Amino acid sequence: MERNLSLCIVLALLVPFSTLSLVNAEVTDISTDKQALLALKARISHDPSNLLANNWSTTTSVCSWTGITCAGRHHRVTALNISNLALTGTLPPQLGNLSFLAMLVIKNNSFYGSFPEELAHLHRLKYLSFGFNRLSGGLPENIFYNLPNLEFFSLPFNMLQGRLPSALSKCKKLQILSLSFNYFTGVIPKEIRILTQLKRLLLNNNKLQGMI
Ligand SMILES: *[C@@H]1O[C@H](CO)[C@@H](O)[C@H](O)[C@H]1NC(C)=O
Ligand SMILES: *[C@@H]1O[C@H](CO)[C@@H](O)[C@H](O)[C@H]1NC(C)=O
Ligand SMILES: *[C@@H]1O[C@H](CO)[C@@H](O)[C@H](O)[C@H]1NC(C)=O
Ligand SMILES: *[C@@H]1O[C@H](CO)[C@@H](O)[C@H](O)[C@H]1NC(C)=O
């Protein structure tokens, strides 16, 4: 009886922890990357050269797809560059599953809709280039807490609005920050001053106030 009871206590203590570690140890692999890229492909409503339609084929390896670079010990997707393709579409939350991504370039297309909050999971991300699209809505404050490697963050010529998150200052390695030609409002967060690596700060053509 006593033994059963202590077994119960041990189980009661163990079960929640083991469930927790299962949740944390969410296994991702190249097929996770493939699902994420196919989710992106599915969100593209106009692809004038049919490039993704023909090239991003489920029967070939994602690492051979145009605009995709794989690298590292695990041979995972480390770069996605689909700039200048005149694509129209939205960005799926699954992009946040590309957990080895260091470079994300969708510059000069017609991507619209919001900036996916799930990009907050890309803690290896160094380079993000979303300029010359039609993205709208705000920059979610919480995306900046977990991007310690971000060096280049460029979103000029979109339709983004709202305040600039002060959490941008959590990206300590930031060197280039370009948010020109959007509809940002409010005061420029004074926390930006603590970004000692910053080489270029472009905020012109918004409705921002204050000094740097
Ligand atoms: C996709 O494009 C790459 C070059 O960008 C090429 O090497 C590959 O063979 C193409 N794949 C298909 C299925 O067309
Ligand atoms: C992305 O791809 C385009 C077209 O291939 C190329 O011109 C550009 O330099 C690439 N951008 C980056 C940051 O590698
Ligand atoms: C944008 O891409 C188009 C091709 O889709 C190209 O003709 C144009 O020069 C590019 N513009 C910029 C600013 O890179
Ligand atoms: C990928 O991301 C989506 C949305 O963020 C999530 O629902 C899904 O479970 C993820 N898939 C994998 C295989 O990690």
Side-chain angles (χ1 to χ4, degrees):
M1 178 69 194
E2 205 173 288
R3 226 173 120 175
N4 281 345
L5 186 67
S6 51
L7 186 66
C8 281
I9 291 169
V10 167
L11 279 179
L13 285 172
L14 281 180
V15 167
F17 283 115
S18 57
T19 330
L20 202 70
S21 62
L22 274 180
V23 170
N24 285 341
E26 189 182 301
V27 182
T28 66
D29 59 17
I30 192 72
S31 71
T32 316
D33 293 350
K34 187 172 191 173
Q35 290 315 311
L37 295 171
L38 289 174
L40 173 63
K41 181 182 173 182
R43 295 281 193 108
I44 294 181
S45 56
H46 189 59
D47 171 7
S49 54
N50 276 323
L51 187 66
L52 302 194
N54 296 328
N55 189 278
W56 286 22
S57 154
T58 52
T59 58
T60 57
S61 156
V62 288
C63 300
S64 74
W65 292 0
T66 190
I68 302 301
T69 306
C70 294
R73 194 157 52 94
H74 304 281
H75 211 56
R76 297 283 301 274
V77 172
T78 53
L80 166 57
N81 177 356
I82 45 169
S83 53
N84 310 326
L85 295 174
L87 303 171
T88 303
T90 58
L91 299 172
Q94 285 87 344
L95 285 180
N97 293 345
L98 294 169
S99 35
F100 283 76
L101 203 66
M103 181 184 277
L104 177 52
V105 183
I106 63 159
K107 188 183 172 183
N108 186 27
N109 285 288
S110 294
F111 283 99
Y112 63 96
S114 57
F115 188 100
E117 277 184 50
E118 290 76 8
L119 298 188
H121 304 147
L122 302 179
H123 64 271
R124 290 181 174 86
L125 196 65
K126 277 189 183 165
Y127 191 104
L128 181 147
S129 174
F130 282 8
F132 303 89
N133 280 286
R134 293 190 277 125
L135 299 173
S136 59
L139 277 185
E141 175 99 22
N142 61 6
I143 64 168
F144 299 105
Y145 285 100
N146 204 20
L147 301 178
N149 296 307
L150 197 65
E151 292 174 6
F152 185 101
F153 189 72
S154 177
L155 298 138
F157 293 94
N158 277 283
M159 305 187 307
L160 295 160
Q161 53 172 287
R163 290 171 184 274
L164 295 188
S166 55
L168 268 167
S169 64
K170 304 286 176 200
C171 305
K172 294 272 194 302
K173 293 187 184 165
L174 209 54
Q175 294 182 15
I176 312 277
L177 176 60
S178 173
L179 304 172
S180 315
F181 293 92
N182 279 286
Y183 302 118
F184 290 113
T185 50
V187 175
I188 299 167
K190 60 180 187 316
E191 290 84 353
I192 282 182
R193 281 183 306 191
I194 69 171
L195 293 171
T196 53
Q197 308 290 308
L198 206 58
K199 289 179 186 151
R200 235 195 293 163
L201 175 64
L202 299 168
L203 301 176
N204 56 293
N205 294 79
N206 282 287
K207 292 179 232 154
L208 293 163
Q209 298 162 23
M211 297 194 297
I212 306 151

